[in-house]
Amino acid sequence: TENTVKEKKYLLHIEAIRILAIFLVIFNHTAERGFFLFAMYPNTDIQYWIYMGISVFCKFSVPMFLMISGALLVDKDESIKRVWSQRIFRIFLALLLFSFISYLQTVYQTDKKIDVGEFLKGLYGSDWNFSYWYLYLYIAFLIALPFLRVLCRNLQRVHYYYMIGIALIINGGLPIVQYLLWKGSYSVNSRVIPEWLLSEIVLYPCIGYFLEHVNKKDESTYSRFCIMKLWAVTVVCIGICCVMTNYKVMVTGVCNEGESQTFFASFVLMICITVYVTFQKLFSERQLSGRTKKIIISLGRNSFGIYLVHVIIMKFHEYELFQVIDVLREKVHINYMLSTLLYVFLIMMIGYVVSLLLKKIPFLTKLL
C-alpha cells in the first residue's frame, strides 16, 4: 500500500538516534550550567563523577551523525556529479545562509556595520557560528563519499573489526598510556599513526555502513546478552575517561572547559557503536503506534534544522532562557543537572518549531 511504501522510507531507529544526538549537541553548549557543571564540585562529591560521566557520554553526538550518514549514503549509487550538484551544494547553501544570519546577529549585538568582505573572510577561514564547524567537516565527508562507497563495499567483516580495534587502541588506549607515563611531555612519532583511517570522515561513516548493512545480518550481535556486554564495556570506557580527566586536572592544576577535555572522546567510537546497536534492537522488537512513529520521524527529520538554529536562538534569548534554569532550581527546587536538561529540551522544541516554520518557505524546504 501507499502508506507501507512511505513508511519504509524512514528507518525509525535512525530517526530516534538523531533525536538523542541533537539533544546532546545542544547540551554540549551549556558550559558550566550543564556540560561542565561537574567542575563546580570537588572530586570527592558523587555529582562530580556522575556529571562528568554525562559529559563524556554526550561526546558521541557529532560522530553519530557521521555514522548515520555512512549508514544512509554509502550504500547509494550516485554519480560524482550528483554528489556535488545536490549534496555538497545543499550543505554549502545552508552554511552560507545560516552563517550570514549568525553574522547579522553578531552585527546587531555589537553595533557593528555590515561588511560583506569581513563576512566572506570569516566564512572562508573560520566560521560565524561556533557550532557550524560540523558543516565544514560534513562537506569534507561528502567530497570523500565516492571513495568511501568503493572502500566500504569491498571490506570484509574482519576488516571492520580491525578498523574498530585500531581506533580504540590508537585514539583511546595509546594516549592514556602515554599520559600516565610521561604526563603529556612525550608521544609516539605521528608518522606511524594512520591518520587517514582514523579521521572522522572515514572512520565513523565506515562503521555506520558496517552496522547498518553488514553487521545487521549477524543476529548474535543483537542478543540481549551481547548488548548488555556492550553497555558494560561502554560504562567502563566512560569511567576510564573520567578517571583520566580527573588525573590530568590533578597533574596540571587546571580544570576548565577549554583544556580539560583531552580524554573526553577517547572511547567515543565505543559509545557510538553501543548506542547504535541498542536502538537497532529496540526498534526491531517494539511495535509503535502510528502517532508515535510520526512524532519520531518528524523530530528526527528536523534535527538538521534544529542544529542550524539552536545556537542563534540561545544567543538571542540567552538571558531569558537561562532564567528558566534558575527558576527551576530556586523556585521549583529541581536538581541542577535536571533543570539544565529541561532547558535543553526547551531549546530543542523551540528549534523544532522554528525548523517546521522555515520548511514552509519554498526555498528552504529542500535545504532543511
Side-chain angles (χ1 to χ4, degrees), residues 61 119 124 127 183 185 244-245 255 294 350 358 368:
S61 53
F119 165 72
Y124 181 81
D127 52 65
K183 310 296 186 294
S185 62
M244 288 305 303
T245 298
C255 186
K294 286 181 180 179
I350 295 173
L358 290 176
L368 301 179

Side-chain angles (χ1 to χ4, degrees), residues 120-132:
L120 292 176
K121 287 178 182 177
L123 180 69
Y124 181 81
S126 54
D127 52 65
W128 284 105
N129 183 317
F130 65 85
S131 72
Y132 291 168

Side-chain angles (χ1 to χ4, degrees), residues 60 63 67 159-178 193-194 197-199 203-204 207 210 229-230 233-238 240-241 244 262-274:
F60 86 86
M67 282 185 65
H159 297 129
Y160 287 108
Y161 287 139
Y162 182 50
M163 186 185 296
I164 292 169
I166 290 173
L168 292 177
I169 291 171
I170 295 180
N171 288 343
L174 182 61
I176 288 173
V177 171
Q178 288 177 162
I193 305 297
L197 181 63
L198 301 178
S199 67
L203 176 64
Y204 294 105
I207 301 306
F210 167 65
K229 287 195 295 183
L230 281 175
V233 172
T234 298
V235 169
V236 170
C237 287
I238 292 173
I240 293 172
C241 293
M244 288 305 303
T262 303
F263 300 103
F264 270 34
S266 296
F267 297 106
V268 70
L269 177 61
M270 190 69 228
I271 302 173
C272 283
I273 291 171
T274 301

Side-chain angles (χ1 to χ4, degrees), residues 178-189:
Q178 288 177 162
Y179 196 84
L180 289 173
L181 291 175
W182 302 297
K183 310 296 186 294
S185 62
Y186 197 69
S187 60
V188 68
N189 190 310

